[in-house]
Amino acid sequence: MTDKDFADLYRGYIACLNDQDWAKLGDFVGDEVQHNGEMLGLSGYRRMLEGDFEAIPDLRFNIELLVCQPPRMAARLHFDCHPKGVLFGLPVNGKRVSFAENVFYEFGEGRIREVWSVIDKAEIQAQI
């Protein structure tokens, strides 16, 4: 797989998230996926994402930076949204916030098997 193919695969994953096309999530995420060291499995990962969209109805993943080095990938994602209540322990309560997530992935057999995510909570806190 070329770096371009690898990047296109990731863009497909982001489109799947933004469309909330949960039926296709398994095309991009492995059955035994881990998130920040915790084994969630595909069903747990889907529940986590569904919870994110429940808490943030206008959630949209925007790729700012993408670095590919198969089987690993790093991305900086940007969010500009209106969370309904508490977000990452912060009382946002519908206020518009803009923040970034730095996320690293490891792929296996063409699907995401590990995710390490760091969200800039200080950026959110400065806005509320």
Side-chain angles (χ1 to χ4, degrees):
M1 181 178 294
T2 68
D3 286 355
K4 182 186 179 322
D5 293 336
F6 198 49
D8 288 345
L9 175 66
Y10 184 73
R11 287 185 181 92
Y13 164 70
I14 292 299
C16 174
L17 298 184
N18 285 333
D19 293 342
Q20 298 179 58
D21 190 352
W22 307 128
K24 288 187 180 175
L25 188 62
D27 294 348
F28 303 100
V29 178
D31 295 330
E32 302 297 319
V33 67
Q34 294 185 37
H35 182 267
N36 287 345
E38 180 182 350
M39 173 62 73
L40 296 181
L42 180 57
S43 62
Y45 194 76
R46 176 179 171 166
R47 280 192 303 276
M48 176 188 73
L49 290 166
E50 289 173 330
D52 292 344
F53 279 95
E54 172 65 27
I56 311 168
D58 63 345
L59 181 62
R60 181 143 186 93
F61 292 75
N62 299 295
I63 302 169
E64 282 190 343
L65 177 66
L66 187 61
V67 178
C68 301
Q69 188 177 14
R72 294 184 181 89
M73 182 172 295
R76 182 170 175 88
L77 303 174
H78 181 260
F79 303 92
D80 189 350
C81 54
H82 299 84
K84 289 196 293 191
V86 175
L87 180 67
F88 311 121
L90 301 170
V92 178
N93 299 318
K95 183 173 177 152
R96 178 178 174 244
V97 291
S98 180
F99 62 96
E101 175 185 18
N102 295 310
V103 62
F104 305 88
Y105 304 88
E106 184 166 291
F107 286 71
E109 299 177 10
R111 297 187 299 166
I112 297 167
R113 68 174 170 202
E114 285 197 64
V115 180
W116 298 274
S117 167
V118 179
I119 293 175
D120 191 347
K121 286 175 58 174
E123 189 176 0
I124 298 168
Q125 191 165 24
Q127 297 170 63
I128 57 174

